[in-house]
Amino acid sequence: MTVAGMLLARVELYGALRDVRVRGTRITDVGPRLLPREGEEVHDARGGALLPGLHDHHIHLLALAARAGSVCCGPPSVTCLDELATVLRSSVRNLPSGDWLRGTDYAESVAGLPDRHLLDRLVPDHPVRIQHRGGALWILNSPALEAVSHVLDDSSDVERDAHGAPTGRLWRYDARLRPALPTPPPDLAPVGARLASYGITGVTDASPDPEPGALRLLHDANASGALPQQLHLMGAPGGDTPVKIHLRDHDLPALDALTEHIASTHRTGRAVAVHCVTRESLLLTLVALRTAGPHPGDRIEHAAVVPPEVYPMLAECGVHVVTQPTLLTGRGDDYLRDVDPADAAHLYPYASLLAHGIPVAASSDAPYGNPDPWASIAAASTRSTPSGRVISPAERVAPRIALDGFLSPPHDPGGPARRGGPGPPRPHVRPGGAPRGV
């Protein structure tokens, strides 16, 4: 935001209280208290820290926007089948006939893995789709399946029963479902305002293969100012943002195929950001990266399970790790119950990665994690589950370390934290538009 003049009094900067003058789009003066007043607007910070804007290195903007019109179908608000029935039936009670109900956050701890028959018993008269909290699975009831039958294919992404009929479980089907749904595009303005209220001025959208319409929505919201953050899109063609490779843990690619995918991406001048949430996917990725050769900016997204013997390979490949601490504080008890005991001690490491010289940055993975960066910073320092258990306490890091991850540059997650001070405006390049100072 361009302002004619502003003086921030008594801010904590460089470890001391200082006054900071802003002219136009940049800081022009930093001095010990007190800078002479020159008639500008004065704000007393009362000792608060002055920070550059935070950057969320892994977020899903359209899914976060769509969450506003959805019903929570999982913990902590829904924990059993009776509660799921209650929330679904109460939510459709006032819906016009034929309107869809969208649910999110479902976890197997509620009632196993539902199919269309279970959802039909709960809501037979409205199309219903419920997203698993991992984001990869949609579960549809029979009216919903009938409405989108023209986009269902014969791939393994459409689960079928012994008679060949769809069970209602659709895997990785977002891009194919979206054009068939009657729902209006999600409003990104509340998302932009919410993130700005947390101090987030930049985001990297980690959607792997968004359709052109989705990219247009993001570009238009950014250009109009509805989404005011500096925007980086992994799924956009061209550019210099890393290309997301979303490995399907139930159907991992052959090593040669993944190696060539990485190598061909490197040949275009772009790094890769590989989604790894299992031991197997991480090992496969590291072998492929080592074979393809390093590229500046290569990343591992999540690194949910990192056994100790893998740290040297991570360091050798020169990758950055983008982790999500609030997944532990939100889902940690489920992880401890469901994850292989051999992996439970190696969930979402942080301190060990840093100790091996591997750059790490915390992020939200919103809406699957908490979009509040301050919640992520707290989670990285506690690693406490909802029941109060601590997962791998040796992996805790000081809040300042986690904060520095949010202050690291968009193309260097976990790199040197940005610091405030006098200098020329940094260009904020809007897609299709001219740079503007921030």
Side-chain angles (χ1 to χ4, degrees):
M1 181 179 297
T2 302
V3 293
M6 179 171 61
L7 187 72
L8 304 176
R10 296 196 301 164
V11 300
E12 188 276 315
L13 186 65
Y14 311 136
L17 286 182
R18 301 175 187 273
D19 281 2
V20 173
R21 174 169 285 118
V22 177
R23 293 289 191 194
T25 60
R26 61 175 177 170
I27 293 172
T28 57
D29 296 293
V30 175
R33 298 177 56 221
L34 294 167
L35 285 176
R37 273 47 177 167
E38 297 179 357
E40 66 266 272
E41 187 178 344
V42 177
H43 296 274
D44 187 352
R46 295 177 294 178
L50 180 63
L51 299 172
L54 309 185
H55 189 92
D56 191 330
H57 295 277
H58 185 118
I59 193 170
H60 301 272
L61 294 166
L62 290 172
L64 183 58
R67 178 67 63 94
S70 303
V71 176
C72 181
C73 296
S77 58
V78 174
T79 61
C80 64
L81 181 59
D82 286 345
E83 291 176 352
L84 179 64
T86 298
V87 73
L88 292 179
R89 289 167 180 165
S90 63
S91 298
V92 300
R93 191 169 295 137
N94 297 319
L95 278 182
S97 177
D99 276 16
W100 284 67
L101 178 67
R102 184 184 193 272
T104 59
D105 297 308
Y106 183 82
E108 291 96 318
S109 60
V110 174
L113 199 57
D115 59 14
R116 64 185 176 94
H117 302 295
L118 175 60
L119 294 186
D120 288 348
R121 292 200 298 273
L122 303 182
V123 182
D125 302 325
H126 283 268
V128 174
R129 60 183 178 121
I130 296 177
Q131 187 181 44
H132 187 275
R133 69 179 182 181
L137 171 65
W138 283 102
I139 307 158
L140 280 63
N141 69 352
S142 293
L145 280 173
E146 178 62 27
V148 301
S149 59
H150 59 291
V151 299
L152 301 184
D153 56 34
D154 295 326
S155 71
S156 60
D157 298 333
V158 180
E159 186 179 293
R160 297 180 183 273
D161 62 22
H163 305 288
T167 65
R169 300 170 186 153
L170 307 181
W171 299 87
R172 310 285 182 207
Y173 228 77
D174 290 74
R176 287 165 283 183
L177 270 181
R178 195 173 292 115
L181 297 172
T183 51
D187 184 2
L188 286 159
V191 170
R194 181 180 182 184
L195 296 178
S197 75
Y198 298 142
I200 294 177
T201 59
V203 291
T204 297
D205 187 271
S207 303
D209 297 302
E211 61 175 358
L215 290 174
R216 262 195 316 274
L217 280 173
L218 292 167
H219 282 208
D220 290 349
N222 192 230
S224 70
L227 187 70
Q229 284 74 24
Q230 188 181 56
L231 181 62
H232 300 264
L233 299 170
M234 286 186 179
D240 57 358
T241 304
V243 173
K244 177 78 171 287
I245 299 178
H246 198 145
L247 298 184
R248 302 180 178 194
D249 299 295
H250 66 286
D251 185 23
L252 290 173
L255 174 60
D256 289 348
L258 179 58
T259 301
E260 176 52 30
H261 191 173
I262 293 170
S264 63
T265 302
H266 286 174
R267 288 194 291 270
T268 69
R270 295 180 72 177
V272 295
V274 189
H275 168 106
C276 295
V277 296
T278 63
R279 177 190 297 249
E280 293 78 12
S281 61
L282 180 60
L283 289 170
L284 175 68
T285 297
L286 292 177
V287 174
L289 282 168
R290 188 161 59 181
T291 304
H295 189 283
D298 282 341
R299 298 165 43 157
I300 301 294
E301 306 301 305
H302 310 300
V305 179
V306 185
E309 63 270 18
V310 170
Y311 290 116
M313 292 180 68
L314 282 164
E316 176 189 342
C317 290
V319 295
H320 301 242
V321 169
V322 178
T323 187
Q324 294 81 34
T326 62
L327 294 183
L328 292 178
T329 54
R331 307 179 183 180
D333 291 318
D334 292 342
Y335 290 157
L336 292 176
R337 182 189 64 242
D338 300 333
V339 169
D340 186 326
D343 291 335
H346 312 308
L347 289 170
Y348 290 96
Y350 206 137
S352 292
L353 290 166
L354 294 175
H356 284 81
I358 299 157
V360 187
S363 67
S364 71
D365 196 23
Y368 313 110
N370 191 330
D372 183 349
W374 306 100
S376 291
I377 291 166
S381 66
T382 66
R383 298 178 63 90
S384 179
T385 73
S387 70
R389 302 168 70 183
V390 176
I391 296 179
S392 302
E395 295 297 343
R396 291 181 291 198
V397 297
R400 180 72 213 208
I401 292 175
L403 172 61
D404 280 351
F406 281 102
L407 292 173
S408 59
H411 295 295
D412 189 18
R418 292 168 290 121
R419 301 289 183 228
R426 185 163 47 89
H428 173 176
V429 180
R430 293 182 175 188
R436 64 183 177 94
V438 295

